[in-house]
Amino acid sequence: MNWIIIVLIIIALLALGVWGYQLHNTRQIHDMDAAVATLDSGAVAGLVRNIQQLNLTGDSLADFKVWRQKYQALVDGELTELQTALLDVEQANKQFRFGQVKDGLANIDAVQTAAAKSMKQIEDHLGAIKAAEEANAKRLKTLRHDYQEARKTVLAKSFAFGDALPALEDSLQQIAAGLTDATEVNLAGDPQKAAAAVKQLGNTVAALKLQVKQLPPLVNSVVNEFPAQLKEIQGGYRQLTAQHFIFTEDVAAGTAAVQTMVEHAEDQIKGLDVTELTANTAAIADKIDSLYAVMEKELNAKAAVLDQQRELRQFINHAMQQNRLLTIELDHLNQSYQLNHDEIKHAADLKGQLDTINQAFDQANDQIAQKQAVYSELLAQFTQAKSDLTAIEKQQQAINASVSGLRETERKALVQVEAFERAVRDVRYEVSRHDLPGLPKAYRDFFKVVQDEILQLKDDMDQVKIDLDAIAKTLIRVSADIDQLKQQSRDIISAAGLCEQLMQYANRYKTSHEEVAQAMQQAAKLYAKYDYQGAADAIATALETVEPGSYKKVADDYNAQQHDELV
């Protein structure tokens, strides 16, 4: 009994599943039917009817027929097939032939997608055919307006276009005829052919607008401004050459070249060659400016040269006088001093530069007097000469400053030598004042070296021609040697005095400490040999063994009593 119930439940579930799947397919079929219905909404059919009313001809008509046939073929073919396929799928679903339903829906979806793409392509092309006529009409209206505006300008200002007027009038006539033809073709029902004509007209009208805008100022430059400027340049050139001006460029040849360029510009005006004419007029203007500049340069240069002529003469004379005085002073100093920095040669080189500047200046004056001067070149020469003279005077001043202190340097050197002699005497006196039994040989030898150096200095200073550079170096060396001599003298005096103090202090230990007695004997021997520092060290070492700190105590007492006379 239970198994019967289970079977019945299974059967009920299966029936419910089949019903649910059938319902799912029904919904898909309904959605697909709605999608197919939107493929032909009537928009394309409306386009076909509207275009048929345009009474197309020529290529436009042929093109329309092609796309109308494609539309009809789509309607009669794929769209009809889709309706039939949908009915078949719907019937198969009712008969529970779900495999057929699945395959049918997939095929319908693929055909529907392709049909939608074809319909969109057809609609776009038909829309373009319809829009072409409207676009042509709109574009023709704009071109006609631009043409009328250009025509008004040409008629109202015909004088401003000069020799370009005949060509402009021909262009206006051609454009007017072109507008009429394109309009007739468009209205006759062939917008595609009209579009090509409209495009060509657009280029022609654009060129006309540019010509009407740019030609008047260009024509004015070529017809009025340039000839007037050339006439002014030619007149000025004749006047200036009559005044014996010489130019750095051939003004006459330049004027002739500009005249040829102007004649070429006139031909460009007649040919409405605005682009080349614009470039040519710019080149003419630059060339005219350069011709003006060439003449103006010489006019300004002459004024500057004549204004600077006297001042430069004075500058040259002053620099040459300073060089003469410097040379005399150097010759005089050279008799008494060694000039080690090529001062005489340098002054002679500067004299050569001054002679060259002076010679060039005299030649410039001759050119002016003989009316053969190129003033711009002379102005550059004068400017460079002033710069060179300034540099020369600075060098002469530097040379003079370098030798002006030679006599003072000699006086100071003599004073220094005398100071060295006094210092050596003071050292000898201070050392002798301490009644030392003798002096170390190394000290005596160094003392003699210092004395000999001072004697050599005196001899060098007593020469007819003094080398102050060498003397300055010797002064530095002798000064250092005297400082060293003073220090050695201090060391000897200090060591001898400290040794005597240590000997006195050591007397208290010589009987009780054998090492002290022996150290005193050793110190006495060293002292007798003038090794005062060695003697002091020998006693100090022994005292430190019996009384640590005794050396410092004695040394401090001794140093406190001393007054250094060797400063």
Side-chain angles (χ1 to χ4, degrees), residues 326 346 350 353 390-400:
L326 177 62
H346 194 182
L350 295 178
Q353 294 179 36
T390 300
I392 289 171
E393 286 212 334
K394 287 182 179 179
Q395 293 177 68
Q396 291 180 158
Q397 291 168 3
I399 295 172
N400 185 64

Side-chain angles (χ1 to χ4, degrees), residues 38-245:
T38 62
L39 287 176
D40 189 8
S41 62
V44 176
L47 276 173
V48 171
R49 288 192 298 272
N50 290 337
I51 294 172
Q52 285 175 335
Q53 295 174 4
L54 296 176
N55 297 319
L56 298 177
T57 61
D59 293 339
S60 299
L61 178 59
D63 193 31
F64 167 66
K65 288 180 178 179
V66 169
W67 290 103
R68 184 181 62 183
Q69 290 172 0
K70 287 184 178 181
Y71 170 67
Q72 193 61 47
L74 183 63
V75 171
D76 296 341
E78 286 92 330
L79 296 186
T80 301
E81 291 173 3
L82 285 171
Q83 294 295 335
T84 302
L86 282 168
L87 291 174
D88 291 344
V89 170
E90 186 176 6
Q91 185 63 32
N93 190 48
K94 290 178 181 179
Q95 297 173 357
F96 304 107
R97 290 178 294 180
F98 297 136
Q100 184 179 347
V101 172
K102 181 179 179 182
D103 294 340
L105 287 174
N107 181 61
I108 290 170
D109 182 62
V111 173
Q112 187 269 340
T113 300
K117 184 177 180 181
S118 297
M119 187 66 76
K120 179 67 169 59
Q121 188 179 27
I122 293 168
E123 184 177 6
D124 289 344
H125 278 79
L126 290 173
I129 292 173
K130 183 176 183 298
E133 188 275 339
E134 297 175 353
N136 288 338
K138 184 177 180 181
R139 179 62 175 151
L140 282 168
K141 182 179 179 181
T142 301
L143 291 176
R144 190 172 290 107
H145 174 269
D146 292 343
Y147 158 77
Q148 292 292 347
E149 291 297 317
R151 182 172 178 273
K152 289 178 184 178
T153 302
V154 172
L155 292 176
K157 300 180 180 180
S158 58
F159 61 88
F161 296 97
D163 291 340
L165 186 60
L168 284 173
E169 291 175 341
D170 288 344
S171 181
L172 286 169
Q173 291 177 0
Q174 292 173 11
I175 292 173
L179 287 169
T180 300
D181 293 343
T183 302
E184 291 176 353
V185 171
N186 195 49
L187 292 175
D190 194 354
Q192 287 188 357
K193 183 178 179 181
V198 168
K199 182 178 180 181
Q200 180 61 40
L201 275 172
N203 295 334
T204 305
V205 172
L208 176 66
K209 288 174 63 178
L210 182 67
Q211 292 160 358
V212 170
K213 179 181 179 181
Q214 295 186 351
L215 274 172
L218 295 173
V219 169
N220 184 57
S221 295
V222 174
V223 174
N224 297 313
E225 292 180 0
F226 294 158
Q229 290 171 339
L230 285 174
K231 183 177 180 180
E232 184 178 31
I233 290 172
Q234 289 168 340
Y237 176 70
R238 285 192 297 270
Q239 291 179 4
L240 293 177
T241 51
Q243 298 173 26
H244 306 287
F245 276 91

Side-chain angles (χ1 to χ4, degrees), residues 431-439 492-493 496-497 500 527 530 532:
V431 172
S432 64
R433 190 172 65 83
H434 287 81
D435 294 327
L436 298 176
L439 296 170
I492 290 172
I493 293 170
E500 293 173 359
Y527 191 89
Y530 317 136
Y532 305 117

Side-chain angles (χ1 to χ4, degrees), residues 415-434:
V415 171
Q416 189 64 51
V417 171
E418 293 176 357
F420 288 164
E421 289 182 317
R422 288 195 300 274
V424 171
R425 287 197 300 269
D426 291 343
V427 168
R428 181 186 292 111
Y429 170 76
E430 185 62 24
V431 172
S432 64
R433 190 172 65 83
H434 287 81

